[in-house]
Amino acid sequence: MTDNITGRLSLHVPEPEVRPGGKPDFSNVTIPEAGSVRRPEVDEDPEQMRDLAFSIIRVLNRQGEAVGPWAGSLTNDELMEGLRHMMLLRVFDQRMLMAQRQGKTSFYMQHLGEEAVSCAFRKALVQGDMNFPTYRQAGLLIAGGYPMVDMMNEIYSNDADPLKGRQLPVLYSSKEYGFFTISGNLATQYIQAVGWAMASAIKNDTKIAAGWIGDGATAESDFHAALVFASTYRAPVILNVVNNQWAISTFQGIARGGSGTFAARGLGFGLPSLRVDGNDYLAVHAVAKWAAERARRNIGPTLIEYVTYRVGAHSTSDDPSAYRPKEESEAWPLGDPVIRLKNHLIQVGAWSEERHVQMEAEIRDTVVAAQKEAEKHGTLHSGGRPSMRDMFEGVYAEMPPHLKRQRQQAGV
Amino acid sequence: MTDNITGRLSLHVPEPEVRPGGKPDFSNVTIPEAGSVRRPEVDEDPEQMRDLAFSIIRVLNRQGEAVGPWAGSLTNDELMEGLRHMMLLRVFDQRMLMAQRQGKTSFYMQHLGEEAVSCAFRKALVQGDMNFPTYRQAGLLIAGGYPMVDMMNEIYSNDADPLKGRQLPVLYSSKEYGFFTISGNLATQYIQAVGWAMASAIKNDTKIAAGWIGDGATAESDFHAALVFASTYRAPVILNVVNNQWAISTFQGIARGGSGTFAARGLGFGLPSLRVDGNDYLAVHAVAKWAAERARRNIGPTLIEYVTYRVGAHSTSDDPSAYRPKEESEAWPLGDPVIRLKNHLIQVGAWSEERHVQMEAEIRDTVVAAQKEAEKHGTLHSGGRPSMRDMFEGVYAEMPPHLKRQRQQAGV
Amino acid sequence: MPRMTMIEAIRSAMDVSMEHDDDVVVFGEDVGYFGGVFRSTQGLQQKYGKTRCFDVPINESGIVGAAIGMAAYGLKPCVEIQFADYMYPAYDQLTQEAARLRYRSNGDFTCPVTIRMPTGGGIFGGQTHSQSPEALFTHVCGLQVVVPSNPYDAKGLLIASIENPDPVIFLEPKRLYNGPFDGHHDKPVTSWAAHPLGEVPAEYFTVPLGKAVVRRPGSAVTVLAYGTMVHVAEATAEETGIDAEVIDLRTLLPLDLETIVASVKKTGRCMVVHEATLTSGFGAELAALVQEHCFYHLEAPIVRVAGWDTPYPHAQEWDYFPGPARVGRALREMMEA
Amino acid sequence: MPRMTMIEAIRSAMDVSMEHDDDVVVFGEDVGYFGGVFRSTQGLQQKYGKTRCFDVPINESGIVGAAIGMAAYGLKPCVEIQFADYMYPAYDQLTQEAARLRYRSNGDFTCPVTIRMPTGGGIFGGQTHSQSPEALFTHVCGLQVVVPSNPYDAKGLLIASIENPDPVIFLEPKRLYNGPFDGHHDKPVTSWAAHPLGEVPAEYFTVPLGKAVVRRPGSAVTVLAYGTMVHVAEATAEETGIDAEVIDLRTLLPLDLETIVASVKKTGRCMVVHEATLTSGFGAELAALVQEHCFYHLEAPIVRVAGWDTPYPHAQEWDYFPGPARVGRALREMMEA
Ligand SMILES: Cc1ncc(C[n+]2csc(CCOP(=O)(O)OP(=O)(O)O)c2C)c(N)n1
Ligand SMILES: Cc1ncc(C[n+]2csc(CCOP(=O)(O)OP(=O)(O)O)c2C)c(N)n1
Ligand SMILES: [Mg+2]
Ligand SMILES: [Mg+2]
């Protein structure tokens, strides 16, 4: 507490512990031991779970063992599949980053360090459920089996782009794969997810929805709209907050303010609010499954904060060395999600270094093959591209006269 | 918890306990005994005060005694003045309601049952502080000594209206009296209050701000903006929520959802969040003073929920008998603020029934005199009125050419 | 045929739509048990249940955002914004989300949402209960903008809007709710009972979007109007004796340019009237289009009579409102030009 | 005189304003330590401290709402919305609050806030990093709308905006930040270093709001433009050999009608060009005004060349952008009319 000795007010402006040139310091981040956080029943009174908003649910310990009440939600085969998804996403990111640098597209956003969140979450949902993602959850598509080549076509805005070149790279859309069309505007989709879930409840359906938002975007007002509506109508929705510590150059303290955690935001709405180790594939899955069960049993919404770290730049337009120490990601105390899951699988005897190296090679080949396939259809500035006609289509179901006039004027 | 036996979802839509025809029932409202809620130090850690968001701070007990740690913030003389303010406001409301019925103005909004909130709050602020009120805090003006005749001039939109007929009745403005121009749009001013307070802190000033919002309007997104900014910059602001149980025809459960109280909304931001008996002049003042001290000592913002009841209609356009039992206000367990303060003053020997009757008459005369004075300047449809020229002024500091052209066209 | 006020016609439109299609849901502030502050949804909750007609938290962005999510699921929400003046918090959801879903997703997700809002002045509502924000929607591709001027159209257009596969902004001139209002605020109030367009079929019918209608044929000048101003224009034509052709646009986006151009080519003169603030109002677009398409037929400049470029004041309501006196003066001046 | 890019000029405007007046504060998303995603505020926090230049939570309504409160207190906030496409959540605060304080309170409270936002396309930003929403502001009385087209004006106009006692929407054509762009996206990028308007005084100076300027005198046709389109218009005039008079409006609200009318009366022809979507764009208001004031001087219909009525697409950026080819074709057609 800042007390006011002079009798004069002053403005408090939060600052991160360190800036470029300083030594990374996460000593203020309290990391509870894996397995130490209890697992309430899904229908327990949320008022009795407030502690979960201030701790971190973790399953994998330092030895790579899965421990505690949240362990055991997945088989080893499922975990191996999960490892594969994360590795696919990572290689996909590398290739697309490079493609952007080569001028094959205008823009890209990567997931480095956060792969577990969307990949593990997806496995807690079923066909028919709907995600309302931000730009940093491509793992939902990859773990959901969406064709990678279509993702690339979208990124290249080529003539096979399912979105006809209309959207910025990475703003995918696929109803079939439960992936709502991504908006460039932050937070708008959080309340849409709640509306979708309400509709499912109105129709006495069984499907549930999941909203996604970043730590920075929780400050947006639609975050509030979503929590109010979800709380009032007990919508079957999972409200995910991916706290990767940064919002472009702004550290999470600016959005979080005086609340200890982002999960705490749910407490004022009577929502179960859980914090989970976002770099622990097993923990993410277990918590997502718990929340999905709550939603599907019509008990109500859940808020989940994934504690993770954005290792890469915000986007290809960003250079983080201007605002945070370069070595900060290495100091991040929750480690790397791929390595942690790999070590666990080795620890339980289901995996080995050799098989891992093999899989790395195989994945590289898969991604490169998809890329070759996509590039056959062209890249942003060369080869096939969506037409000017495509630009005029789809504003409405039926093209109104004024647009027809304009299309004619444009000569297409 | 609604469990899902059929495996099918269903939508939960909250409903008030009773509707017209039913018997009023407030048995679900837990009213703690007066004096029973502790009073923490203003610089205590907010995390240690969470209980205050789920209780109700009360000072006046059934016997009219002032009890407990929140008692004693005002002298008897100050309390007598407070009684007078509340009675003034009540008579003012009666006269203006009648004036509206007589066609002297278009619209009016009363405070019946909620007088203590704004009247007592105002006495915790000092000259230079700034309120950002809604339409139901005229007590801030009355307790602040603003000329009643000017309020009436505004309501009548007559030629002495300080706002030149531009604003709807009751949307007053007075910088001098620390009363920010009221917006017709809900919640917008909550974040403006925070901005004002931040400015005071930026300038190392000593002034503080207060934001005002209704239970229903807490659902608006600007409520979130205000809490985020207040929490992050520890702005010297008091964030008031007047929970009068209704938002036009909508009961508070629709805005509140699954959180037990509106005060709880502050918990997710790490703000001290207090609930207070809004019909208890002493309790309102004590809590407001506590929060004002916190702000002025640069410790940070406070959220206060005033638990009260809107006894009258929402506005002169509303008829509450269509959506709630007529007798509900009588069943309201926190009583009437005027009677409770009167009883207290009688109990401590500072007041009597006779003096009260005398004061009633005196206040009536005062208000009627002001009304006569105001009506000399005209009422909405008769007598003096602001001119068409006034309509064109004040859009900008300097009238731009296109407006001059329009004014000319209008022939004024 | 039954006679209806505009409120009754709007209510009836929602009623038959809900009857006709289980996917139609209705919600908004005070819309459920109470039936709306203008009573437009009265009885719907009782008839269709709490999960198809309900109250919401006061959050316009939430209302529209939730409606978009529901529409993406497959419902057809018809929501109410209590006053058009309160749509601003929802402006992002309306213009960047509802209007964009189809385009953004190449038709994978669509947004059949209808957003009703009472609009316009004439009830001493001051700055925040009187606005006409149509031009803030007509600039947004992906939206459709409808303004009925009478009970018959209100019902038929609202049903068509709810059925429409894309988002529709449905602006209801609140001064017309209980009677046709021609701007003579000092004359006795008339009711819809006596007006031919107060006759409204009880059953399901539609009035197509995108089609204007000539309300009063004439040869001297074309007056383009919508909502309340249709009645002002008609009355002014009668009172001035100027043989104006009054066109009720009904849908502003997409616009029925054909009907407009045919009329202006015939009359050689064009006036646009609206209640909204002049600058960058929808009248600007109309004037721009008319001069573009009828340049060689125009005998005089196109004149716009509109709300002044000030907020809608309380006391000076009738100074602000472009009533028959102002429209009449402008018409006479135009005929002299 | 120093040479500046438009970014440098904007930064310099804030710098000298903060130097000159302690009440000027600057904030926005990523604006503090980092200096803004376009680097417009780089160095200001270091120079003036954390309480005069700081980062904010990502909430545009909060940014503008807080700025309004600060302005009511007596400060002069100059805030950044990261992209104009993200101003929509703040639209209520901008149009119903900032624009209304003075009027509502009869001058008791005022709102000297400047809201900067990068606008326009040309950087492959897709639907949500390319918009030109000026017409959504020009319809709102109480606001002023400024769009500079070069570093000199950007600095002078921004200082004038910060000084101005009423709210100013300051739209920065982002494609001009680092060089004058004439729409020839396939030609090498040029820098401001070689452009006469890249010369900008280091010190405090203002360019008055509400004054347009003739960028290229001509006699055949008047072209009304602002922002990036000024350069497109100039280039097209040269390339087509059509002697167009190119007017850079600089301020859209209030508009310098006098300069426009004088030019059109001289040339007898008028074209309006803008990047924003055609329907209900600011070009509509310009066309409406020009035909109203110059009707008897016009030899041909006023033509608008603008962005299509579609969202700003990613891949088809140069199909959407009204570049020299489209403007040139329209100019030639117009001269034949
Ligand atoms: C309404 C809106 N405001 C601002 C932006 C610009 N913007 C894009 S991403 C971003 C940071 C978001 O940070 P966070 O929510 O933490 O997500 P992350 O990028 O870390 O995944 C900002 C400010 C935007 N897209 N939309
Ligand atoms: C943005 C906005 N939406 C809707 C309204 C219409 N409206 C006026 S008052 C009101 C109810 C407010 O209830 P509450 O906040 O509880 O305040 P109370 O009237 O009880 O004091 C509503 C919905 C408005 N004024 N502004
Ligand atoms: Mg982040
Ligand atoms: Mg209330």
Side-chain angles (χ1 to χ4, degrees):
Chain A
M1 292 291 111
T2 346
D3 213 329
N4 193 355
I5 324 240
T6 60
R8 292 266 155 198
L9 298 164
S10 62
L11 191 75
H12 169 75
V13 181
E15 268 291 314
E17 304 288 328
V18 270
R19 287 293 194 184
K23 204 177 131 40
D25 179 9
F26 286 110
S27 57
N28 62 331
V29 184
T30 321
I31 311 285
E33 244 180 84
S36 65
V37 177
R38 74 195 179 91
R39 183 180 184 283
E41 292 303 313
V42 293
D43 55 0
E44 196 176 306
D45 179 2
E47 297 296 326
Q48 303 309 316
M49 302 181 204
R50 303 179 143 265
D51 52 319
L52 298 185
F54 298 100
S55 191
I56 303 182
I57 295 166
R58 306 178 65 228
V59 169
L60 291 177
N61 68 13
R62 279 171 201 225
Q63 289 72 47
E65 294 156 341
V67 295
W70 295 89
S73 70
L74 291 163
T75 64
N76 283 347
D77 280 353
E78 288 169 330
L79 290 173
M80 278 181 326
E81 195 198 10
L83 181 65
R84 184 160 193 284
H85 292 152
M86 292 198 286
M87 290 167 71
L88 267 169
L89 179 54
R90 192 165 284 188
V91 175
F92 178 78
D93 274 348
Q94 288 160 359
R95 302 294 307 181
M96 291 299 100
L97 272 177
M98 203 195 300
Q100 192 273 342
R101 265 187 236 113
Q102 292 165 340
K104 292 177 182 171
T105 189
S106 57
F107 179 80
Y108 190 69
M109 300 181 93
Q110 63 174 320
H111 304 75
L112 194 62
E114 303 175 41
E115 293 90 346
V117 177
S118 51
C119 288
F121 184 87
R122 177 63 185 81
K123 301 310 282 183
L125 297 191
V126 300
Q127 165 77 24
D129 295 339
M130 186 62 68
N131 281 288
F132 288 73
T134 82
Y135 43 76
R136 226 184 288 281
Q137 280 92 45
L140 296 171
L141 287 173
I142 287 183
Y146 185 78
M148 190 174 270
V149 62
D150 281 337
M151 297 168 71
M152 290 167 166
N153 289 333
E154 197 282 331
I155 291 165
Y156 288 146
S157 278
N158 63 21
D159 66 17
D161 173 7
L163 307 184
K164 302 282 182 202
R166 294 181 193 146
Q167 276 278 55
L168 207 60
V170 317
L171 303 188
Y172 318 104
S173 170
S174 172
K175 192 170 191 169
E176 191 188 340
Y177 288 82
F179 194 95
F180 188 71
T181 156
I182 303 178
S183 177
N185 301 48
L186 294 171
T188 46
Q189 293 173 280
Y190 222 50
I191 171 68
Q192 293 166 10
V194 175
W196 196 99
M198 287 174 69
S200 183
I202 289 171
K203 298 303 279 185
N204 302 125
D205 198 345
T206 59
K207 301 177 191 126
I208 66 171
W212 291 89
I213 206 165
D215 49 303
T218 61
E220 285 285 9
S221 289
D222 278 338
F223 178 75
H224 182 67
L227 266 65
V228 172
F229 276 66
S231 170
T232 291
Y233 302 107
R234 296 186 198 155
V237 64
I238 307 174
L239 295 169
N240 297 307
V241 177
V242 183
N243 175 7
N244 63 5
Q245 313 300 318
W246 290 94
I248 310 184
S249 77
T250 305
F251 91 117
Q252 46 86 24
I254 290 284
R256 179 177 45 74
S259 65
T261 69
F262 288 96
R265 292 280 148 93
L267 300 180
F269 297 85
L271 301 186
S273 304
L274 283 62
R275 244 172 137 232
V276 57
D277 178 345
N279 291 11
D280 178 340
Y281 188 95
L282 285 77
V284 170
H285 182 268
V287 169
K289 206 180 145 196
W290 185 91
E293 190 188 334
R294 244 189 135 255
R296 222 175 298 274
R297 282 177 51 194
N298 211 33
I299 304 171
T302 304
L303 184 79
I304 306 176
E305 174 185 348
Y306 303 89
V307 183
T308 180
Y309 186 87
R310 194 197 79 209
V311 175
H314 170 73
S315 73
T316 48
S317 313
D318 178 47
D319 172 15
S321 70
Y323 51 79
R324 67 184 192 189
K326 274 212 179 72
E327 324 72 36
E328 198 177 86
S329 69
E330 277 146 51
W332 175 244
L334 292 174
D336 177 88
V338 173
I339 297 176
R340 283 176 69 194
L341 181 53
K342 171 187 148 198
N343 287 347
H344 169 67
L345 285 168
I346 293 176
Q347 204 275 339
V348 298
W351 200 239
S352 66
E353 291 288 355
E354 301 75 54
R355 287 176 68 185
H356 195 77
V357 171
Q358 246 172 25
M359 184 149 88
E360 268 175 346
E362 177 252 310
I363 280 176
R364 225 195 94 87
D365 291 349
T366 309
V367 177
V368 169
Q371 193 176 4
K372 284 213 176 108
E373 173 70 21
E375 292 183 7
K376 275 192 212 145
H377 296 283
T379 60
L380 180 60
H381 300 294
S382 70
R385 39 161 272 180
S387 75
M388 198 166 169
R389 266 189 97 83
D390 290 324
M391 178 178 77
F392 286 104
E393 302 280 347
V395 184
Y396 302 91
E398 216 180 302
M399 192 176 291
H402 67 282
L403 263 181
K404 282 191 192 143
R405 242 173 11 243
Q406 292 183 20
R407 191 181 58 182
Q408 220 167 355
Q409 222 180 308
V412 290
Chain B
M1 292 293 110
T2 345
D3 212 330
N4 195 356
I5 326 245
T6 61
R8 292 266 156 197
L9 298 165
S10 63
L11 191 74
H12 169 75
V13 181
E15 267 292 313
E17 304 288 328
V18 270
R19 286 295 194 183
K23 204 176 130 43
D25 180 7
F26 286 111
S27 57
N28 62 331
V29 185
T30 320
I31 311 286
E33 245 180 84
S36 66
V37 178
R38 75 195 179 91
R39 183 181 184 284
E41 292 303 312
V42 295
D43 55 359
E44 196 177 305
D45 179 1
E47 297 296 326
Q48 304 309 316
M49 301 181 203
R50 301 178 145 266
D51 51 319
L52 298 185
F54 297 100
S55 191
I56 303 182
I57 295 166
R58 306 177 65 227
V59 170
L60 291 177
N61 68 14
R62 279 170 201 225
Q63 288 72 47
E65 294 157 342
V67 295
W70 294 89
S73 70
L74 290 163
T75 66
N76 284 346
D77 280 352
E78 288 168 330
L79 289 173
M80 279 179 328
E81 196 199 7
L83 181 63
R84 185 159 192 282
H85 291 152
M86 291 198 287
M87 290 167 71
L88 266 170
L89 179 53
R90 191 165 286 188
V91 175
F92 179 78
D93 273 349
Q94 287 160 359
R95 302 293 307 180
M96 292 297 100
L97 272 178
M98 203 195 300
Q100 192 273 343
R101 268 187 233 114
Q102 293 165 340
K104 290 176 181 170
T105 189
S106 57
F107 178 79
Y108 190 69
M109 299 182 94
Q110 62 173 323
H111 304 74
L112 195 62
E114 302 176 41
E115 292 89 346
V117 176
S118 51
C119 289
F121 184 87
R122 178 60 184 83
K123 301 309 283 184
L125 296 191
V126 301
Q127 166 75 27
D129 294 339
M130 186 62 68
N131 281 286
F132 287 74
T134 82
Y135 44 76
R136 227 185 287 283
Q137 280 92 44
L140 296 171
L141 287 173
I142 286 183
Y146 184 77
M148 189 174 270
V149 62
D150 281 337
M151 296 168 72
M152 290 166 167
N153 289 332
E154 197 281 333
I155 291 166
Y156 289 147
S157 279
N158 64 21
D159 66 16
D161 172 7
L163 307 184
K164 302 282 182 200
R166 292 181 195 147
Q167 275 279 55
L168 206 60
V170 317
L171 302 188
Y172 318 104
S173 170
S174 172
K175 192 170 191 170
E176 193 188 338
Y177 287 83
F179 193 97
F180 188 73
T181 158
I182 303 178
S183 176
N185 302 47
L186 294 171
T188 46
Q189 293 173 280
Y190 223 50
I191 171 68
Q192 293 166 10
V194 176
W196 197 99
M198 287 173 69
S200 184
I202 288 170
K203 297 304 278 186
N204 303 124
D205 198 346
T206 60
K207 302 179 193 126
I208 66 172
W212 292 88
I213 207 165
D215 49 302
T218 60
E220 285 286 10
S221 289
D222 277 339
F223 178 76
H224 182 67
L227 265 65
V228 171
F229 276 66
S231 169
T232 292
Y233 302 108
R234 296 186 199 154
V237 65
I238 308 174
L239 295 169
N240 296 306
V241 177
V242 184
N243 175 6
N244 63 5
Q245 312 300 318
W246 290 93
I248 310 184
S249 78
T250 305
F251 91 117
Q252 47 85 27
I254 291 283
R256 179 177 44 74
S259 65
T261 69
F262 288 96
R265 292 281 149 92
L267 300 180
F269 297 85
L271 300 186
S273 304
L274 283 61
R275 243 171 138 231
V276 57
D277 179 345
N279 292 11
D280 178 339
Y281 188 95
L282 284 78
V284 170
H285 182 268
V287 169
K289 207 180 143 195
W290 186 91
E293 190 189 333
R294 245 189 134 255
R296 222 174 299 274
R297 280 176 54 192
N298 212 35
I299 303 171
T302 304
L303 184 79
I304 306 176
E305 174 185 348
Y306 302 90
V307 183
T308 181
Y309 186 86
R310 195 197 78 209
V311 174
H314 171 72
S315 73
T316 47
S317 314
D318 177 47
D319 172 16
S321 70
Y323 51 80
R324 68 185 191 189
K326 274 213 177 73
E327 324 71 36
E328 197 176 87
S329 68
E330 277 146 51
W332 175 243
L334 293 174
D336 177 88
V338 173
I339 296 175
R340 282 175 70 192
L341 181 52
K342 173 188 145 195
N343 287 348
H344 170 66
L345 285 169
I346 292 177
Q347 204 274 339
V348 298
W351 199 239
S352 68
E353 290 288 355
E354 299 76 57
R355 287 177 68 186
H356 195 77
V357 172
Q358 247 172 25
M359 186 150 86
E360 268 174 346
E362 178 254 310
I363 281 176
R364 226 195 94 87
D365 291 349
T366 309
V367 177
V368 169
Q371 193 176 2
K372 284 213 176 108
E373 173 70 23
E375 291 184 7
K376 274 192 212 146
H377 294 283
T379 60
L380 180 59
H381 300 295
S382 70
R385 39 161 273 179
S387 73
M388 198 166 169
R389 267 189 97 83
D390 290 324
M391 178 178 77
F392 286 105
E393 302 281 346
V395 183
Y396 301 91
E398 217 180 299
M399 192 176 292
H402 67 284
L403 262 181
K404 282 191 192 145
R405 240 170 15 242
Q406 293 183 18
R407 191 180 59 182
Q408 220 167 355
Q409 221 180 310
V412 292
Chain C
M1 217 185 300
R3 303 204 150 268
M4 297 187 191
T5 66
M6 198 142 146
I7 286 286
E8 287 162 347
I10 286 165
R11 188 189 302 145
S12 172
M14 286 184 272
D15 189 357
V16 299
S17 294
M18 291 176 90
E19 183 90 51
H20 184 257
D21 184 347
D22 274 355
D23 288 336
V24 176
V25 292
V26 167
F27 54 96
E29 293 158 18
D30 301 297
V31 150
Y33 183 88
F34 182 54
V37 295
F38 290 103
R39 322 317 308 274
S40 314
T41 56
Q42 205 181 3
L44 299 180
Q45 180 175 83
Q46 284 73 357
K47 190 161 171 191
Y48 298 101
K50 276 201 307 178
T51 63
R52 289 191 61 205
C53 177
F54 51 89
D55 289 332
V56 295
I58 305 174
N59 185 314
E60 290 75 11
S61 184
I63 294 171
V64 178
I68 293 169
M70 291 182 192
Y73 173 92
L75 300 188
K76 292 186 186 139
C78 174
V79 304
E80 175 177 307
I81 300 290
Q82 204 162 73
F83 285 85
D85 316 59
Y86 303 141
M87 68 80 186
Y88 299 94
Y91 198 64
D92 191 31
Q93 289 284 354
L94 288 168
T95 64
Q96 306 304 299
E97 299 292 326
R100 300 289 192 253
L101 282 202
R102 177 185 296 280
Y103 193 78
R104 215 163 79 188
S105 69
N106 193 25
D108 202 16
F109 295 93
T110 61
C111 192
V113 172
T114 303
I115 298 110
R116 297 176 39 242
M117 9 183 143
T119 178
I123 62 157
F124 277 96
Q127 303 180 29
T128 56
H129 303 88
S130 307
Q131 297 179 28
S132 297
E134 62 273 9
L136 303 175
F137 296 118
T138 53
H139 189 43
V140 180
C141 60
L143 295 182
Q144 298 162 96
V145 182
V146 175
V147 193
S149 70
N150 59 74
Y152 182 91
D153 279 357
K155 179 165 176 182
L157 287 166
L158 182 51
I159 295 174
S161 299
I162 293 171
E163 268 190 0
N164 192 281
D166 290 306
V168 179
I169 308 286
F170 194 85
L171 297 166
E172 304 172 357
K174 65 178 88 67
R175 180 61 207 237
L176 298 181
Y177 273 158
N178 295 311
F181 174 67
D182 63 8
H184 287 294
H185 55 92
D186 33 13
K187 291 203 189 139
V189 172
T190 55
S191 87
W192 283 113
H195 196 285
L197 292 166
E199 273 192 24
V200 184
E203 56 275 11
Y204 194 97
F205 73 97
T206 59
V207 171
L209 304 192
K211 294 275 168 250
V213 64
V214 175
R215 286 285 170 220
R216 183 195 187 284
S219 58
V221 49
T222 301
V223 180
L224 304 179
Y226 46 92
T228 311
M229 294 303 291
V230 172
H231 303 276
V232 174
E234 284 184 286
T236 310
E238 299 313 322
E239 291 158 21
T240 55
I242 294 170
D243 189 26
E245 177 144 303
V246 177
I247 299 185
D248 180 351
L249 298 176
R250 300 199 291 197
T251 303
L252 310 189
L253 187 69
L255 184 69
D256 183 356
L257 187 60
E258 223 174 297
T259 300
I260 296 169
V261 169
S263 173
V264 177
K265 286 193 173 162
K266 180 178 79 176
T267 62
R269 286 182 157 82
C270 180
M271 172 176 290
V272 185
V273 294
H274 60 61
E275 221 183 311
T277 277
L278 178 80
T279 297
S280 276
F282 190 62
E285 178 62 29
L286 290 171
L289 284 171
V290 167
Q291 69 83 33
E292 190 180 329
H293 291 268
C294 311
F295 185 80
Y296 299 101
H297 293 79
L298 282 174
E299 290 160 34
I302 303 153
V303 170
R304 293 180 286 167
V305 181
W308 308 113
D309 282 350
T310 74
Y312 216 118
H314 176 247
Q316 301 92 335
E317 168 135 280
W318 301 118
D319 296 331
Y320 185 92
F321 185 87
R326 268 176 72 202
V327 176
R329 196 163 51 238
L331 266 183
R332 275 187 292 263
E333 278 171 22
M334 183 169 214
M335 293 318 295
E336 282 155 22
Chain D
M1 219 187 299
R3 304 205 149 267
M4 298 188 190
T5 67
M6 200 143 145
I7 286 286
E8 287 162 346
I10 287 164
R11 188 189 302 147
S12 172
M14 287 184 272
D15 189 356
V16 298
S17 294
M18 291 176 90
E19 182 90 52
H20 184 256
D21 184 347
D22 274 354
D23 289 335
V24 176
V25 292
V26 166
F27 54 97
E29 294 158 17
D30 302 297
V31 150
Y33 183 88
F34 182 53
V37 294
F38 289 104
R39 322 315 309 271
S40 314
T41 57
Q42 205 181 3
L44 298 180
Q45 179 175 85
Q46 284 73 356
K47 189 160 171 193
Y48 298 101
K50 276 202 306 178
T51 64
R52 287 189 63 203
C53 177
F54 51 90
D55 288 333
V56 294
I58 304 175
N59 185 314
E60 290 75 11
S61 184
I63 294 171
V64 178
I68 292 169
M70 291 181 191
Y73 173 93
L75 300 188
K76 292 188 185 137
C78 175
V79 304
E80 175 176 308
I81 301 289
Q82 204 162 75
F83 285 85
D85 316 58
Y86 303 142
M87 68 81 187
Y88 299 94
Y91 197 63
D92 191 31
Q93 289 284 353
L94 288 167
T95 64
Q96 306 303 300
E97 299 292 326
R100 299 290 192 253
L101 280 203
R102 176 186 296 280
Y103 193 76
R104 216 163 79 186
S105 69
N106 193 25
D108 203 18
F109 294 94
T110 59
C111 192
V113 171
T114 303
I115 299 108
R116 296 177 39 242
M117 10 182 144
T119 180
I123 62 157
F124 276 96
Q127 303 181 31
T128 57
H129 302 88
S130 306
Q131 297 179 28
S132 298
E134 61 274 10
L136 303 175
F137 297 119
T138 52
H139 189 42
V140 180
C141 60
L143 295 181
Q144 298 161 96
V145 182
V146 174
V147 193
S149 71
N150 59 75
Y152 181 90
D153 280 357
K155 178 165 177 183
L157 287 166
L158 182 51
I159 295 174
S161 300
I162 293 171
E163 267 190 358
N164 191 282
D166 291 304
V168 178
I169 307 287
F170 194 87
L171 298 165
E172 304 171 358
K174 65 178 87 71
R175 180 61 208 237
L176 297 181
Y177 274 158
N178 294 312
F181 174 67
D182 63 9
H184 287 293
H185 54 91
D186 34 13
K187 292 207 188 135
V189 171
T190 55
S191 88
W192 283 113
H195 196 286
L197 292 166
E199 272 193 26
V200 184
E203 58 276 10
Y204 194 97
F205 74 98
T206 60
V207 170
L209 305 191
K211 294 273 168 256
V213 64
V214 175
R215 286 287 168 220
R216 182 194 188 284
S219 58
V221 49
T222 300
V223 180
L224 305 179
Y226 46 93
T228 310
M229 293 304 291
V230 171
H231 302 276
V232 174
E234 285 183 286
T236 312
E238 299 313 321
E239 291 158 20
T240 56
I242 294 170
D243 188 25
E245 176 144 305
V246 177
I247 298 184
D248 180 350
L249 298 176
R250 299 200 290 198
T251 303
L252 310 188
L253 186 69
L255 184 69
D256 184 355
L257 188 60
E258 223 174 301
T259 300
I260 296 169
V261 169
S263 173
V264 177
K265 285 192 174 164
K266 182 179 79 177
T267 62
R269 284 182 158 82
C270 179
M271 173 175 288
V272 185
V273 294
H274 60 62
E275 220 182 313
T277 276
L278 178 80
T279 297
S280 276
F282 191 61
E285 179 62 29
L286 290 170
L289 284 171
V290 167
Q291 69 83 32
E292 190 181 327
H293 292 269
C294 311
F295 186 79
Y296 301 101
H297 293 79
L298 282 175
E299 289 160 35
I302 303 151
V303 169
R304 293 180 285 168
V305 181
W308 308 112
D309 283 349
T310 75
Y312 216 119
H314 176 248
Q316 300 92 335
E317 169 136 281
W318 300 118
D319 296 331
Y320 185 93
F321 185 87
R326 269 177 71 201
V327 175
R329 194 161 55 238
L331 265 182
R332 274 187 294 263
E333 279 170 20
M334 180 167 215
M335 294 317 295
E336 282 155 21

